Amino acid sequence: MRNRLFAVAALFESPDKIIKAADAVASQGFRKFDVNTPYPVHGMDKAMKLKPSKLGFVTLFFGLTGTAIGLILTYWTMSVDYPLVIGGKPFFALPAFIPILFELTVLLATLATVFGMFAFFFNLPHNDHPIHDTEYMKMTSYDKYGIYIESADEHFDESKIKRLFTDLGAVKIYDLAYPEKITYPIFEPKFVTFLIITFVAVSGATYLTLNKLLYITPFNWMMDQLREDVQDVSQYLPDQPSMRTPVQGTVARGFIPYPYKGINNPTEVLTNPILPTQENLNLGRKKYLSYCSPCHGNFGNGDSRLRGQFPNPPTLHSKRAREFSDGMIYHIITNGQNVMPSYESQVTREERWAIVNYIRVLQRAKNAQESDLEVAKKEFEKNAAQ
Amino acid sequence: MQHSEMNYVKKALPSNLRSIGLLLLIAGIILGLVAYFIDQPRAMFNYLISYMFLISIGVGSLFLISLEYVANADWSVPLRRVIEHLAAIIPLLFILVLPLFFSIHDLFHWSHPEAVSEDKILQGKAPYLNATFFIIRSIAAIVIWSLFYFFISRNSLKQDETKDQKLTKTNIKLSAAFIPFFAVTITVSAIDWMMSLEPHWFSTIFGVYFFAGTVVASLAAVTLFVVKLKEKEYLHPKVTNDHLFSLGALMFAFVNFWAYIAFSQYLLIWYADLPEETFWFLHRWEGSWTVFSIALIVMHFIVPYAVLLAQPAKMDMKKLKFISIWLLAAHLLDLFWLVMPNMSVHAHGYVFSWIDLVFPVFIVGFVILVFYYRANKTNLLPSGDPKLNRALDFHI
């Protein structure tokens, strides 16, 4: 018994002919027809009188959604929920977020286009079609150009259509019937089993590669070398870590130990070994601006932008700070004080003393006296005279 | 179908186009001269902008031609003559550059020996940034462009008569050779003429930035001419909206590319926050320059992006005409934004003068005239090109 007719199809020899055929079919008022060609034929949309695809709107909508998600994500995480000062940038640092907005826009737009195509235009889960597995389909993916008109079209008339196709120069005409029953190949046990097997095989292979294969000779040669790995058990000394504790009293090269480390208020401190030369003050200024000014402000007033975000860094012009000995300030930099961390690892010994000298300059400038003005005036006159 | 080019009959461009071009050019030159005697540095900075703009259109067009050849593109063949005529600006650069050579001292801080002697950085750059080498580089660039322009366009014109397919092959080879030269010369031109205005500043992406603007400007100029010619029916009737679509799509792509590059430059400098780099942007954010900076983003990216986004807009003659004029203005603004803040009067914001409005008049007149004379001398359709038939049948 013949199944219900789905469509009448015809094959043509050349792209010119298929364009003409598509144009003729569309002009006769048929709407439910489609063209199958081995490659995209230029000018087909126009010949078939297709309206522009609506898919672009899906892309646009999801693209903008991506932008919005990116904006909310970056704003919420970086500016509201867990604000961090990074490189002195504001919490809401839009330029830094733009790459993220851009990537999310592109990601959502492309994914939505692909899935939108599947879902709306292919009618998922309906992934079978009556023209699949027909000779007609095989020929159109080989070297013929095919067109078919569905029986559901309101102008459908089998004999008239066949005549039309013949007149247009069709080389072959097919009746395409509905399959016996509608199936959903993606739900077929074979296909599902295939998916599961692929999944298990890929994840299994990955697991085995990373956890077993890499430990088998010769793949482990790269990993097993004659050296100690840090934070591992020593290969040579039983029951000992690979990293050895230095012998008591060891001093690293170029490193002078600091005797008051860890003491919060040492009764005595080191004395300043470095003279406040111009060169030295320049160094101190540079290091102060890099390491101290983010908290204590450019002139030591404690007015940095960190105010209100961190326990307020104090001014360095208080009576207390002015009465600190040089060694005490050196001590605070080296050791830290309460919430102020130690800067021992960032600033070298010489630089620390240079900073101390520079802070002295700042303090002096802020608390200038009449006599200082005299000195400054003399300096100025001397310079002017030159 | 064999001889569809036969339908094409060459029409002479209307002579009032010449009058308009001549009028604008002469007005531009006279006003420019007046400006020169009133405010010499300002006139020369403006002239530099015009010069860069003409490089963008001329050399950019030659790049578009070579792109067609190396990509073996069909669609652009019937439009190629329009592009070739715009590229005819190139040999004239030899004359256009001369006034600039005489005003190197007005333009470039590094050209003053007394400034260099006090400045360690400039001393370090002196082996590259000195007047002699500068002039050599500029001339070399024009020589290279002119040679390639001369051979490529000569072959293309010869093909109208001889229909010799081998000429296409030769041009493909020439184009492939031109593109690396183009990359280097356009970078060097951008660095020399614009980046070195602020000799302490450096940005490794600057050449690409100018390249992006160049392509946008030349595509816009080509689109404008093509749309105008098509409106007045000077092009082959089979040049359809589908051909225009490709121009629109390329313009859209390069507007995006420009934004991508401009933002990349900004982002890295903003991120690293090094004073020796940031001052350039900070200066362009000072006083009324802020308005220019924002206008640049809106004009060169946001508006053209929105206008060209939808597919139908890329084939709509009216929209294309509007957006190509718009983009040409945007490129002019871009160059203005790159060059002008380096003039000392603008140290704390833009100071208006009528002089800034004069030079675009000169540019428009110049381009129209060059196009007019070239177009009247030759075919407006490369009638001997072997790809022509296929190109005229082009559909998307």
Side-chain angles (χ1 to χ4, degrees):
Chain A
M1 192 196 88
R2 203 180 97 162
N3 279 318
R4 205 155 59 79
L5 187 67
F6 164 70
V8 174
L11 292 179
F12 293 86
E13 292 270 56
S14 70
D16 277 355
K17 283 195 178 139
I18 192 72
I19 291 263
K20 251 193 11 227
D23 191 51
V25 169
S27 309
Q28 304 236 338
F30 291 107
R31 286 290 159 265
K32 294 199 164 151
F33 72 99
D34 208 351
V35 172
N36 305 89
T37 56
Y39 57 86
V41 174
H42 281 312
M44 186 53 84
D45 285 17
K46 213 191 249 165
M48 290 172 71
K49 306 199 181 2
L50 292 180
K51 290 204 197 79
S53 163
K54 299 253 181 319
L55 199 56
F57 289 103
V58 176
T59 314
L60 180 69
F61 176 78
F62 279 93
L64 290 177
T65 311
T67 322
I69 292 179
L71 198 59
I72 295 169
L73 174 79
T74 46
Y75 170 71
W76 172 253
T77 53
M78 302 301 294
S79 318
V80 178
D81 192 37
Y82 206 94
L84 280 178
V85 180
I86 301 173
K89 303 283 187 263
F91 291 137
F92 185 71
L94 190 61
F97 299 164
I98 282 184
I100 297 159
L101 304 195
F102 174 76
E103 297 296 345
L104 274 174
T105 309
V106 174
L107 181 72
L108 250 71
T110 37
L111 286 184
T113 313
V114 172
F115 287 112
M117 203 165 69
F118 284 153
F120 305 127
F121 299 90
F122 292 176
N123 295 333
L124 268 187
H126 220 316
N127 70 329
D128 196 11
H129 198 278
I131 66 170
H132 284 176
D133 282 333
T134 59
E135 192 192 314
Y136 163 78
M137 198 62 201
K138 278 187 194 125
M139 295 313 286
T140 59
S141 48
Y142 184 47
D143 68 348
K144 296 282 183 291
Y145 306 80
I147 183 168
Y148 67 83
I149 303 176
E150 289 179 31
S151 58
D153 195 288
E154 52 179 308
H155 302 291
F156 188 80
D157 177 336
E158 199 180 327
S159 53
K160 232 161 100 191
I161 289 175
K162 283 185 176 158
R163 213 169 326 120
L164 173 69
F165 282 160
T166 326
D167 291 347
L168 287 166
V171 284
K172 194 142 189 204
I173 293 177
Y174 298 97
D175 290 331
L176 300 179
Y178 278 107
E180 320 250 308
K181 66 176 200 301
I182 294 184
T183 52
Y184 297 103
I186 44 168
F187 293 142
E188 221 150 81
K190 252 203 273 179
F191 182 68
V192 175
T193 323
F194 166 76
L195 276 190
I196 294 174
I197 291 179
T198 316
F199 175 77
V200 171
V202 171
S203 41
T206 314
Y207 177 84
L208 288 179
T209 312
L210 293 181
N211 292 290
K212 296 278 175 277
L213 186 71
L214 285 182
Y215 294 87
I216 298 172
T217 327
F219 303 108
N220 63 351
W221 283 354
M222 183 91 151
M223 209 156 34
D224 291 345
Q225 297 177 18
L226 278 180
R227 61 167 161 74
E228 297 280 41
D229 289 327
V230 284
Q231 301 190 345
D232 206 343
V233 181
S234 170
Q235 299 179 35
Y236 308 105
L237 305 164
D239 281 349
Q240 290 212 22
S242 58
M243 293 183 290
R244 316 284 317 277
T245 3
V247 181
Q248 271 251 313
T250 312
V251 173
R253 257 191 232 187
F255 176 83
I256 299 174
Y258 182 65
Y260 310 109
K261 185 85 203 175
I263 310 170
N264 223 343
N265 279 307
T267 42
E268 50 174 328
V269 287
L270 302 179
T271 44
N272 192 344
I274 284 174
L275 288 177
T277 59
Q278 184 63 45
E279 195 187 350
N280 220 305
L281 289 177
N282 284 344
L283 175 70
R285 175 166 186 274
K286 192 161 174 212
K287 293 296 159 183
Y288 177 87
L289 288 177
S290 302
Y291 292 105
C292 318
S293 72
C295 292
H296 290 288
N298 285 348
F299 300 104
N301 291 329
D303 56 353
S304 68
R305 61 178 296 273
L306 226 63
R307 277 225 146 217
Q309 298 174 15
F310 185 77
N312 283 345
T315 162
L316 300 178
H317 300 298
S318 61
K319 188 159 175 301
R320 176 180 142 85
R322 268 186 289 143
E323 282 169 5
F324 277 149
S325 65
D326 284 2
M328 185 60 195
I329 299 183
Y330 180 86
H331 174 75
I332 293 173
I333 306 176
T334 316
N335 190 56
Q337 176 179 297
N338 303 323
V339 281
M340 172 174 156
S342 155
Y343 282 83
E344 197 184 10
S345 59
Q346 287 101 314
V347 237
T348 65
R349 190 169 158 273
E350 276 71 29
E351 289 165 357
R352 265 174 265 161
W353 284 118
I355 292 177
V356 171
N357 285 337
Y358 183 65
I359 290 178
R360 288 300 182 218
V361 170
L362 290 179
Q363 289 175 338
R364 179 80 178 274
K366 180 97 178 182
N367 298 283
Q369 279 147 20
E370 240 16 87
S371 54
D372 290 328
L373 280 180
E374 289 300 314
V375 178
K377 220 156 122 197
K378 263 191 213 133
E379 281 280 313
F380 181 75
E381 273 160 13
K382 210 172 85 192
N383 284 344
Q386 273 175 4
Chain B
M1 285 294 276
Q2 260 313 305
H3 289 284
S4 67
E5 73 266 29
M6 287 303 151
N7 308 341
Y8 167 75
V9 187
K10 184 178 149 54
K11 277 204 272 182
L13 293 178
S15 61
N16 69 350
L17 191 66
R18 190 183 57 181
S19 323
I20 294 173
L22 213 54
L23 197 74
L24 290 177
L25 182 71
I26 291 175
I29 291 180
I30 291 177
L31 288 171
L33 282 175
V34 173
Y36 182 78
F37 289 114
I38 291 177
D39 186 347
Q40 181 176 339
R42 191 162 193 135
M44 286 329 289
F45 270 90
N46 269 302
Y47 184 71
L48 173 62
I49 295 173
S50 314
Y51 177 71
M52 293 317 287
F53 191 84
L54 291 173
I55 287 192
S56 291
I57 295 187
V59 185
S61 297
L62 186 58
F63 171 67
L64 294 180
I65 298 169
S66 55
L67 216 52
E68 177 200 306
Y69 276 115
V70 292
N72 213 352
D74 292 337
W75 65 271
S76 60
V77 173
L79 313 177
R80 199 181 63 231
R81 262 314 133 67
V82 179
I83 316 181
E84 280 171 27
H85 294 340
L86 286 172
I89 295 170
I90 292 175
L92 297 167
L93 292 175
F94 278 118
I95 303 167
L96 289 170
V97 76
L98 291 180
L100 290 172
F101 284 157
F102 290 112
S103 349
I104 285 185
H105 286 305
D106 287 332
L107 296 168
F108 298 106
H109 180 61
W110 51 259
S111 69
H112 299 266
E114 65 281 6
V116 177
S117 67
E118 280 172 10
D119 193 327
K120 265 212 179 114
I121 296 182
L122 290 191
Q123 281 162 22
K125 295 188 179 185
Y128 183 85
L129 283 184
N130 59 70
T132 326
F133 191 28
F134 180 86
I135 292 176
I136 294 176
R137 285 194 304 269
S138 311
I139 302 257
I142 306 178
V143 168
I144 291 173
W145 298 331
S146 301
L147 281 178
F148 278 105
Y149 165 71
F150 175 73
F151 285 113
I152 291 179
S153 79
R154 191 194 58 171
N155 288 343
S156 167
L157 288 177
K158 219 201 283 170
Q159 209 172 34
D160 284 6
E161 255 89 84
T162 62
K163 322 254 173 225
D164 183 1
Q165 301 201 3
K166 277 205 201 99
L167 289 171
T168 300
K169 277 249 163 79
T170 323
N171 267 359
I172 291 177
K173 280 184 200 140
L174 279 172
S175 302
F178 170 66
I179 286 175
F181 276 111
F182 170 74
V184 174
T185 48
I186 208 77
T187 309
V188 168
S189 305
I191 291 176
D192 282 3
W193 287 109
M194 296 192 297
M195 198 166 103
S196 86
L197 288 169
E198 182 45 84
H200 285 177
W201 189 69
F202 52 91
S203 162
T204 42
I205 208 173
F206 196 79
V208 185
Y209 179 81
F210 179 57
F211 161 74
T214 297
V215 181
V216 170
S218 52
L219 278 170
V222 170
T223 312
L224 181 59
F225 273 95
V226 166
V227 171
K228 271 281 176 198
L229 290 168
K230 188 168 154 48
E231 266 179 4
K232 302 259 150 68
E233 298 179 354
Y234 283 95
L235 294 178
H236 193 284
K238 283 181 95 178
V239 173
T240 61
N241 286 353
D242 293 354
H243 296 86
L244 292 183
F245 171 78
S246 304
L247 280 176
L250 271 178
M251 246 188 320
F252 183 64
F254 273 92
V255 161
N256 280 294
F257 182 67
W258 177 88
Y260 188 91
I261 296 301
F263 180 70
S264 303
Q265 170 168 292
Y266 176 76
L267 180 71
L268 291 198
I269 290 176
W270 172 85
Y271 233 127
D273 210 8
L274 299 174
E276 63 259 43
E277 295 177 350
T278 48
F279 77 96
W280 193 85
F281 276 110
L282 287 175
H283 182 28
R284 280 155 183 76
W285 201 251
E286 225 173 312
S288 43
W289 284 119
T290 316
V291 180
F292 285 79
S293 298
I294 293 174
L296 185 63
I297 303 174
V298 174
M299 271 189 75
H300 213 308
F301 177 59
I302 295 177
V303 170
Y305 181 88
V307 171
L308 286 174
L309 182 61
Q311 195 201 31
K314 299 189 187 86
M315 339 197 210
D316 183 318
M317 298 239 277
K318 270 209 200 97
K319 281 202 179 128
L320 282 180
K321 193 160 63 172
F322 163 75
I323 207 66
S324 52
I325 295 174
W326 178 279
L327 281 176
L328 286 170
H331 185 58
L332 200 61
L333 174 69
D334 188 11
L335 295 176
F336 195 85
W337 180 82
L338 290 174
V339 170
M340 265 305 164
N342 295 308
M343 222 185 114
S344 47
V345 282
H346 301 304
H348 300 292
Y350 175 61
V351 184
F352 177 76
S353 155
W354 60 271
I355 295 176
D356 295 348
L357 303 177
V358 168
F359 284 81
V361 177
F362 159 76
I363 300 179
V364 175
F366 186 81
V367 175
I368 290 181
L369 269 194
V370 172
F371 189 87
Y372 176 82
Y373 280 112
R374 290 292 302 171
N376 263 358
K377 251 202 245 157
T378 59
N379 272 341
L380 209 47
L381 189 78
S383 54
D385 194 296
K387 289 185 296 178
L388 186 62
N389 274 326
R390 193 145 36 113
L392 288 172
D393 280 337
F394 173 80
H395 291 289
I396 50 171

